[in-house]
C-alpha cells in the first residue's frame, strides 16, 4: 500500500540469512522472528502465526511482534485475539500514531465499525498529515461518519500525495462518499488496487474485504 515495489531478491536474501541462523540455533528468538516475517510475506498465515507466537514466549512485550501477530490474527479470522495483543501494543508504545488505530482495526474486523472509529480519530489527531491515517479514515470511519466530516480529510490528501496510491485511492473514496459515481469510476481505483495487490498482501486483503 506504500507504493514500494520490493525486489524478490530481498526475500531470497532473508531466507539465506534465516538458514545461517537456523544452523546456529534453530529455536532462537531471531530464527522464529525472521521466519515468521518471511512466512508473512509469503502469505503463509498460519505458519507465520506459529513462529510469532513463539517469539512472544521469548519477549511478551516485543512491539514489532505484537503488531505483526495482531495483523496476522485479523487476517486469520481471530480478531478478538488480535484486539488483546494490539491493546497491549498501545499500552507499551502509545506515542506511535499508527499503533493507536490497531485496536480499532480489530474491533472493525469483529463487525463493530462504530466502536473502532475513535481509535482512528485519535491516531489522525496525533499525525494529521499522515497519508496512511488520512486514507484509513475514508476506508472505515467513512462508512459510519457524516460525509461532511470525512470528505475534507480525503480532499486534503489528494494534493498532499497526488501521485501515490494514497492520493489516487483517496480521490476515489471522496468521490464515492459524495455520491459522484461517474467521477469515482473514472478515478480507476480498482485498477490501482489490482496492480498493488500483486506486490502487497494487505492490498489484496483490503480489496477482498471492502
Amino acid at each position: 500500500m506504500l507504493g514500494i515495489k520490493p525486489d524478490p531478491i530481498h526475500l531470497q536474501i532473508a531466507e539465506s540469512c534465516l538458514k545461517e541462523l537456523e544452523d546456529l540455533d534453530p529455536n532462537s528468538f531471531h530464527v522464529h522472528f525472521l521466519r515468521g516475517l518471511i512466512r508473512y510475506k509469503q502469505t503463509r498465515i498460519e505458519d507465520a502465526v506459529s513462529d510469532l507466537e513463539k517469539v512472544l514466549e521469548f519477549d511478551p512485550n516485543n512491539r514489532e511482534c505484537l503488531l505483526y501477530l495482531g495483523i496476522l490474527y485479523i487476517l486469520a479470522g481471530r480478531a478478538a485475539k488480535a484486539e488483546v495483543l494490539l491493546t497491549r501494543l498501545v499500552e507499551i508504545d502509545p506515542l506511535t500514531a499508527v499503533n493507536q488505530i490497531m485496536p480499532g482495526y480489530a474491533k472493525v474486523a469483529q463487525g463493530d465499525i462504530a466502536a473502532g472509529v475513535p481509535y482512528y480519530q485519535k491516531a489522525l489527531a496525533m499525525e494529521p498529515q499522515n497519508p496512511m491515517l488520512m486514507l484509513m479514515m475514508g476506508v472505515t470511519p467513512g462508512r459510519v461518519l457524516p460525509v461532511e466530516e470525512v470528505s475534507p480529510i480525503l480532499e486534503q490528501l489528494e494534493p498532499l500525495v497526488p501521485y501515490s496510491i494514497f492520493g489516487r485511492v483517496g480521490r476515489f473514496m471522496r468521490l464515492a462518499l459524495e455520491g459522484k459515481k461517474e467521477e469515482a469510476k473514472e478515478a480507476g481505483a480498482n485498477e490501482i488496487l489490482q496492480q498493488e495487490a500483486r506486490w502487497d498482501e494487505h492490498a489484496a486483503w483490503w480489496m477482498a474485504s471492502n
Side-chain angles (χ1 to χ4, degrees), residues 132-145:
M132 181 177 69
L133 301 180
M134 295 169 77
L135 182 63
M136 290 182 77
M137 280 295 292
V139 174
T140 302
R143 301 181 192 180
V144 294
L145 292 177

Side-chain angles (χ1 to χ4, degrees), residues 8-200:
I9 190 65
H10 297 306
L11 189 57
Q12 295 171 23
I13 293 170
E15 290 174 321
S16 177
C17 292
L18 175 62
K19 180 64 170 64
E20 293 182 21
L21 288 171
E22 288 174 331
D23 290 342
L24 293 170
D25 183 353
N27 197 40
S28 71
F29 167 95
H30 299 289
V31 164
H32 287 299
F33 189 64
L34 180 56
R35 189 166 58 208
L37 294 184
I38 289 172
R39 287 172 169 175
Y40 170 63
K41 290 304 297 181
Q42 294 170 332
T43 63
R44 294 170 57 185
I45 302 300
E46 291 300 335
D47 290 334
V49 164
S50 178
D51 270 307
L52 293 184
E53 285 178 337
K54 289 185 173 66
V55 171
L56 284 190
E57 293 176 9
F58 286 99
D59 182 1
N61 293 324
N62 184 284
R63 290 175 295 177
E64 285 185 288
C65 186
L66 288 169
L67 175 62
Y68 281 110
L69 186 54
I71 292 171
L72 283 164
Y73 279 153
I74 290 173
L75 294 176
R78 290 177 252 170
K81 200 169 183 178
E83 186 178 350
V84 174
L85 294 189
L86 296 171
T87 299
R88 192 196 314 167
L89 173 64
V90 173
E91 292 169 353
I92 294 167
D93 181 9
L95 299 181
T96 299
V98 71
N99 289 352
Q100 295 289 341
I101 270 187
M102 299 313 295
Y105 183 32
K107 288 182 181 294
V108 170
Q110 294 172 77
D112 195 346
I113 296 175
V117 167
Y119 295 87
Y120 289 72
Q121 292 171 321
K122 183 174 182 179
L124 188 61
M126 291 173 67
E127 292 186 10
Q129 288 198 309
N130 182 313
M132 181 177 69
L133 301 180
M134 295 169 77
L135 182 63
M136 290 182 77
M137 280 295 292
V139 174
T140 302
R143 301 181 192 180
V144 294
L145 292 177
V147 173
E148 295 77 13
E149 183 173 342
V150 179
S151 184
I153 296 170
L154 297 174
E155 190 169 15
Q156 292 171 36
L157 177 58
E158 293 174 50
L160 186 65
V161 282
Y163 302 111
S164 75
I165 188 172
F166 299 111
R168 295 161 75 192
V169 175
R171 180 172 185 272
F172 164 78
M173 287 184 175
R174 178 179 62 80
L175 293 170
L177 286 171
E178 293 173 354
K180 300 174 181 177
K181 294 182 180 180
E182 292 306 314
E183 290 181 61
K185 288 179 183 178
E186 293 173 5
N190 283 338
E191 291 79 4
I192 297 166
L193 288 173
Q194 285 169 8
Q195 292 173 9
E196 199 69 20
R198 299 174 189 172
W199 298 94
D200 190 322

